[in-house]
Amino acid sequence: MDEKDVTILSAVARLGTGSAEKLSEETDIPTSTVHYRLEKLRERGVVTNDLLDVDLEAVGLNITVITEVTAEYSEQYHDDVGEALADVEGVNQVYFTMGDTDFVVIAHLSSRGMVERLIEDYESVDGVEQTSSKFVIKTIKDEPRPLNDFDPETLAALLQPDATE
Amino acid sequence: MDEKDVTILSAVARLGTGSAEKLSEETDIPTSTVHYRLEKLRERGVVTNDLLDVDLEAVGLNITVITEVTAEYSEQYHDDVGEALADVEGVNQVYFTMGDTDFVVIAHLSSRGMVERLIEDYESVDGVEQTSSKFVIKTIKDEPRPLNDFDPETLAALLQPDATE
DNA sequence: AATGAAATCGACCAGCA
DNA sequence: TGCTGGTCGATTTCATT
């Protein structure tokens, strides 16, 4: 797992494709090498399926932080603050919620140092009033393909318009 | 977007592959039809890239609920409760956290009725003491490929062992 | 729009540097 | 380990229903 592997995986994420040819163009790494590397990554379990889902532990992103953020009230602020939070490095999900806290933010990181920077980044966003973070001790479930959260039968019913209420 | 589409997308999620042949075997839908359908789904924006990421809105999963769950204290309980929460239909992520609340659970649903059932399901899990849910008004970011949350340069540094502290 | 068969393209494996 | 060329197999298209 060296820099070349990361370059490839990063390109996979960016381009949203697993095509060796396209990845080769993007990374300037020869087509067959891309193949070879992806194969190895599969063997090592870093990449878990044909759709190139990446094992977070395997790439060192083994710290997950869930943060609740409250912001000054203003419609414009909320949009801006949300975007700013989403832009913080390592942030994976940002939800604007109803209730006492305004945003829920989930981030994946690889070191304690990065966590500190993360919190600092949150608090330096203009309009942010308060943040409250929880560390994740154990990720029990994190399903990249939400359709897997349902029985096939339930899914079938999902899109019948009459299931909407 | 009929039942056949859902059958295919469900098989994609389950098998973790986009291979028309494998999907055909699984679903008993002819190979070329699988192709044809996936192509249409791409055109309509339901499927967003080669890696077959699915647009949640497009499949009708436009409600997101974030729930904090507290459970009776006991090591065994925590494992069991976590698993039970993960098994609830629609649940996408389950985190065991340190702090005042024990679990944070995120679910994607398609109707108010399903939300009510979700909460009931949570509260009927043995060992669960309290639940507190937030509705998501707007999903500002939800990145299926966490490597995209980082600059390529940062990523390169990620796996240098000396970046661990 | 769905299917089966035929054509095309890209993946994969040998061997070589 | 990284690269090149050839084979094979899968994908995609086309004509038909």
Side-chain angles (χ1 to χ4, degrees):
Chain A
M1 187 83 190
D2 61 355
E3 194 175 329
K4 220 168 251 183
D5 287 321
V6 189
T7 307
I8 294 171
L9 290 179
S10 168
V12 167
R14 204 149 3 96
L15 300 183
T17 184
S19 152
E21 202 177 37
K22 298 230 186 73
L23 294 170
S24 170
E25 284 171 24
E26 174 87 2
T27 59
D28 288 317
I29 297 171
T31 317
S32 52
T33 304
V34 172
H35 260 292
Y36 176 73
R37 293 291 190 137
L38 284 177
E39 200 171 54
K40 285 281 176 201
L41 288 168
R42 254 184 259 271
E43 283 171 17
R44 274 182 260 151
V46 177
V47 162
T48 55
N49 57 22
D50 287 359
L51 303 176
L52 301 177
D53 288 322
V54 169
D55 185 280
L56 288 187
E57 301 272 334
V59 295
L61 292 172
N62 38 28
I63 301 178
T64 300
V65 181
I66 303 175
T67 307
E68 301 187 355
V69 176
T70 57
E72 287 180 39
Y73 182 76
S74 144
E75 214 160 308
Q76 186 54 33
Y77 253 134
H78 277 159
D79 280 1
D80 292 348
V81 169
E83 295 296 337
L85 292 172
D87 285 345
V88 170
E89 197 161 54
V91 167
N92 186 248
Q93 300 162 62
V94 178
Y95 301 104
F96 181 47
T97 65
M98 43 193 307
D100 33 322
T101 72
D102 297 321
F103 297 94
V104 174
V105 185
I106 297 185
H108 299 293
L109 305 162
S110 69
S111 71
R112 265 203 59 81
M114 292 180 76
V115 176
E116 287 168 29
R117 258 220 355 241
L118 183 85
I119 312 284
E120 285 171 22
D121 287 348
Y122 288 160
E123 303 206 322
S124 71
V125 170
D126 198 41
V128 163
E129 286 183 338
Q130 221 183 88
T131 72
S132 157
S133 297
K134 294 188 222 294
F135 278 76
V136 170
I137 296 169
K138 192 182 173 193
T139 297
I140 293 150
K141 176 173 186 175
D142 183 9
E143 169 63 53
R145 316 200 170 279
L147 294 190
N148 254 336
D149 302 331
F150 297 90
D151 291 336
E153 310 106 50
T154 314
L155 272 183
L158 259 191
L159 356 104
Q160 322 293 358
D162 51 325
T164 312
E165 175 64 343
Chain B
M1 185 82 189
D2 61 356
E3 194 175 327
K4 218 169 254 185
D5 288 321
V6 189
T7 308
I8 292 171
L9 290 178
S10 169
V12 168
R14 204 152 359 98
L15 300 182
T17 186
S19 153
E21 201 178 39
K22 300 231 184 72
L23 295 171
S24 170
E25 285 172 22
E26 174 88 2
T27 59
D28 288 317
I29 297 170
T31 316
S32 52
T33 305
V34 172
H35 261 289
Y36 175 73
R37 292 292 189 137
L38 283 177
E39 199 171 55
K40 285 279 176 204
L41 288 168
R42 255 183 259 269
E43 281 171 18
R44 274 182 258 149
V46 177
V47 163
T48 54
N49 57 22
D50 288 358
L51 303 176
L52 301 176
D53 287 323
V54 168
D55 186 278
L56 288 186
E57 301 273 333
V59 295
L61 292 172
N62 38 27
I63 302 178
T64 300
V65 181
I66 304 175
T67 308
E68 301 187 355
V69 176
T70 56
E72 288 180 38
Y73 182 76
S74 142
E75 215 160 308
Q76 186 54 33
Y77 254 134
H78 276 157
D79 280 1
D80 293 348
V81 169
E83 295 296 337
L85 292 171
D87 285 346
V88 171
E89 199 162 52
V91 167
N92 185 247
Q93 299 162 62
V94 178
Y95 300 104
F96 181 46
T97 65
M98 42 192 307
D100 32 320
T101 72
D102 297 321
F103 297 94
V104 173
V105 185
I106 297 185
H108 299 294
L109 304 162
S110 67
S111 70
R112 266 204 57 81
M114 293 180 75
V115 176
E116 287 168 30
R117 258 222 353 243
L118 182 85
I119 312 284
E120 285 171 22
D121 286 349
Y122 287 160
E123 301 207 323
S124 71
V125 169
D126 197 39
V128 164
E129 285 183 337
Q130 222 184 90
T131 72
S132 158
S133 297
K134 295 188 222 293
F135 278 77
V136 170
I137 296 169
K138 193 181 173 197
T139 297
I140 294 151
K141 175 173 187 176
D142 183 9
E143 169 61 54
R145 314 201 172 279
L147 294 191
N148 254 336
D149 302 331
F150 296 90
D151 291 337
E153 310 105 53
T154 315
L155 273 184
L158 260 191
L159 358 101
Q160 321 295 358
D162 51 325
T164 313
E165 175 65 341

